Amino acid sequence: MSKADQIIASNTRAARRKSGFLGQRGRIALLTLTILLILFVFFTQPDVRTALESKVSLFSG
């Protein structure tokens, strides 16, 4: 193995170790998408929508 191959291999291992499986951005994106999906499913349920509409109507008069 040449010196260049050794440098490339060690840099690849270090980068993989540093970023982990998804990396920090990947974890934040995954968490955000999961929360948005849960909120979408929750707020599209008919019972939840009627309950929210009745609560909002109390504040708006």
Side-chain angles (χ1 to χ4, degrees), residues 22-52:
L22 286 174
Q24 190 66 24
R25 285 187 192 162
R27 287 187 190 125
I28 292 171
L30 184 62
L31 180 64
T32 304
L33 289 173
T34 305
I35 290 171
L36 288 173
L37 178 64
I38 290 170
L39 289 175
F40 175 77
V41 169
F42 182 74
F43 284 114
T44 52
Q45 299 299 313
D47 295 339
V48 175
R49 291 188 67 157
T50 18
L52 284 175

Side-chain angles (χ1 to χ4, degrees), residues 45-59:
Q45 299 299 313
D47 295 339
V48 175
R49 291 188 67 157
T50 18
L52 284 175
E53 288 171 0
S54 66
K55 299 280 186 200
V56 170
S57 68
L58 292 174
F59 292 115

